[in-house]
Amino acid sequence: MSLHWALICHGLITLTIVVSFLCGQWRIFQGTPISSIHRFLSFGAYQYFLRFIGAVFGDRGTNLILSVEYYCCDRPNPILQLIYLAIIGTTYYIIVKTSFSYIPGYYLSEAHRYASFLAIAVGILLFLVTSFSDPGTVKADNVSRYLSAYPYDNIIYTEKECPTCKIPKPARSKHCSLCNRCVARFDHHCGWMNNCIGERNTRYFLAFLLWHFLLCIYGTIAIGLVLAGRLKELQIVHVLTVYYGVDNSLRSLAPYVVQTFKWQDYISWQKNLIEARASTAALKANIAGMTTEGKPQESKCKSFFRRSLLQDTEAIVKKNVYDKGFFHNLYEVVFPVSTRASFLHTKSKSG
């Protein structure tokens, strides 16, 4: 019975960590321990670490840590790529040395020896493909095609020129200061990949995140079943594995989520603006009613059927020209515009 309870506790702790990382910022978890754990693991732990370094080594220690952070995260270099490979390689080596002696076992067959290697290999392959693939660089010879593929909405994206590349900026594109290039449908610059995530490689990046999330689940179940007797020792290794995989996914996805909900922020701002205008109009109407007592009042029937200013928000939502439906947007991610025959045909005609 104690073994079963140990497995249950192990699963609950891992599930809490995963949910906290992935969903801790959701509104449903605001004010709950899930939100607190998310803040601590994503931001608080690092801040406490900086305070500890400052208390022990002073400003020199803190500045050294910040310099390392700047070098690793704010400029292109392969350090984080090597760290990723080191973490994956070391973790798999530890698992082989400590767990493979228990395979085959009562719960798992010998096939999991090869399945685990295949799972790691696929993850590394997706990592390499994402790292060294073209994110969708916008150049002078293809900018006209990207301009036709991604039209301006004149709300969030307007016609302008990149001051660095000296070419027009297509809608949803951005100039990456780290890579010094404009990227179509720019999402973010990923330090772990040492590459931008854009129109052409977002599909590989999302596949990488999904695969590593499934890899964490697979590792949780396998380690919990095979090495239950040594759970206390191996839980440390496992939690570090989950921490790396999920935290990397969250930090990489954060800019993507920010850009995804940029339109929602704009709509919210517009709603607040319209509500403020409606309140101002109502206040003016009340003041006008007090100063013009002899003026006939508007009939209740006409006032009821008069269009409310808040109804204008529906028109704002409909103006999102980039929201083409879930499946169509997903199709654009899996099959980017620049890889389609129509785009290549336009290239040959323009050339």
Side-chain angles (χ1 to χ4, degrees):
M1 182 64 66
S2 59
L3 175 60
H4 293 165
W5 279 111
L7 291 175
I8 292 174
C9 293
H10 177 254
L12 290 177
I13 292 173
T14 304
L15 180 63
T16 302
I17 294 174
V18 173
V19 171
S20 298
F21 270 117
L22 294 179
C23 314
Q25 290 180 315
W26 291 6
R27 289 186 177 181
I28 191 174
F29 293 116
Q30 288 184 357
T32 65
I34 296 295
S35 177
S36 301
I37 294 174
H38 172 79
R39 287 194 301 270
F40 174 77
L41 295 177
S42 299
F43 310 103
Y46 181 66
Q47 295 300 323
Y48 284 122
F49 173 71
L50 287 179
R51 293 179 183 177
F52 172 77
I53 294 296
V56 176
F57 301 100
D59 293 338
R60 289 186 177 181
T62 303
N63 293 334
L64 176 62
I65 297 297
L66 294 177
S67 299
V68 172
E69 177 189 356
Y70 171 78
Y71 182 81
C72 293
C73 304
D74 295 334
R75 55 179 297 180
N77 61 79
I79 292 180
L80 291 181
Q81 291 176 298
L82 296 176
I83 291 177
Y84 164 80
L85 295 175
I87 292 176
I88 291 295
T90 303
T91 302
Y92 186 67
Y93 176 79
I94 293 174
I95 291 175
V96 169
K97 287 296 184 180
T98 58
S99 304
F100 272 31
S101 59
Y102 295 88
I103 299 176
Y106 181 80
Y107 295 103
L108 296 177
S109 65
E110 189 175 2
H112 287 275
R113 287 174 173 258
Y114 311 102
S116 61
F117 176 79
L118 179 63
I120 294 295
V122 171
I124 294 177
L125 177 62
L126 291 173
F127 173 78
L128 295 176
V129 170
T130 308
S131 298
F132 297 102
S133 59
D134 177 22
T137 305
V138 181
K139 303 177 182 179
D141 59 349
N142 63 9
V143 63
S144 59
R145 296 188 296 276
Y146 276 118
L147 288 172
S148 61
Y150 297 102
Y152 300 110
D153 61 356
N154 294 319
I155 298 177
I156 298 179
Y157 302 102
T158 57
E159 185 176 355
K160 62 179 64 175
E161 182 183 88
C162 176
T164 304
C165 299
K166 303 301 181 183
I167 58 175
K169 293 182 62 175
R172 306 174 71 182
S173 68
K174 184 180 178 181
H175 183 87
C176 178
S177 59
L178 297 178
C179 296
N180 194 28
R181 59 182 172 181
C182 283
V183 178
R185 209 177 68 201
F186 180 85
D187 191 80
H188 70 286
H189 181 93
C190 180
W192 290 102
M193 305 293 179
N194 194 28
N195 194 13
C196 291
I197 306 300
E199 187 238 10
R200 294 180 67 94
N201 64 353
T202 299
R203 50 184 174 173
Y204 305 135
F205 178 71
L206 293 180
F208 168 83
L209 297 181
L210 177 61
W211 185 261
H212 279 67
F213 175 71
L214 297 176
L215 187 62
C216 288
I217 296 178
Y218 172 69
T220 301
I221 297 174
I223 293 178
L225 292 176
V226 178
L227 303 174
R230 302 176 61 187
L231 180 62
K232 184 177 180 180
E233 300 167 335
L234 293 176
Q235 185 178 356
I236 300 176
V237 177
H238 175 61
V239 169
L240 288 176
T241 305
V242 174
Y243 177 88
Y244 161 73
V246 180
D247 185 61
N248 179 31
S249 302
L250 275 176
R251 294 186 182 278
S252 302
L253 276 176
Y256 179 77
V257 173
V258 169
Q259 180 154 337
T260 302
F261 288 96
K262 184 184 294 183
W263 185 264
Q264 306 297 335
D265 295 338
Y266 172 77
I267 293 174
S268 177
W269 174 76
Q270 283 285 359
K271 286 183 178 180
N272 294 334
L273 180 61
I274 292 174
E275 288 177 357
R277 289 175 177 173
S279 300
T280 303
L283 180 60
K284 289 181 178 180
N286 292 334
I287 296 175
M290 289 186 294
T291 56
T292 57
E293 297 179 355
K295 186 177 180 180
Q297 296 183 352
E298 184 180 32
S299 64
K300 293 183 178 180
C301 181
K302 184 177 180 180
S303 175
F304 177 80
F305 287 103
R306 185 179 59 204
R307 178 180 176 86
S308 172
L309 289 174
L310 296 179
Q311 294 176 359
D312 293 337
T313 56
E314 299 178 359
I316 296 173
V317 176
K318 294 178 181 179
K319 289 180 182 179
N320 189 354
V321 297
Y322 308 115
D323 185 8
K324 302 176 183 179
F326 174 78
F327 293 102
H328 192 282
N329 290 341
L330 181 62
Y331 180 82
E332 282 194 354
V333 172
V334 179
F335 302 101
V337 174
S338 61
T339 62
R340 301 177 191 175
S342 57
F343 188 90
L344 300 176
H345 180 66
T346 304
K347 176 180 179 180
S348 61
K349 288 179 63 179
S350 61

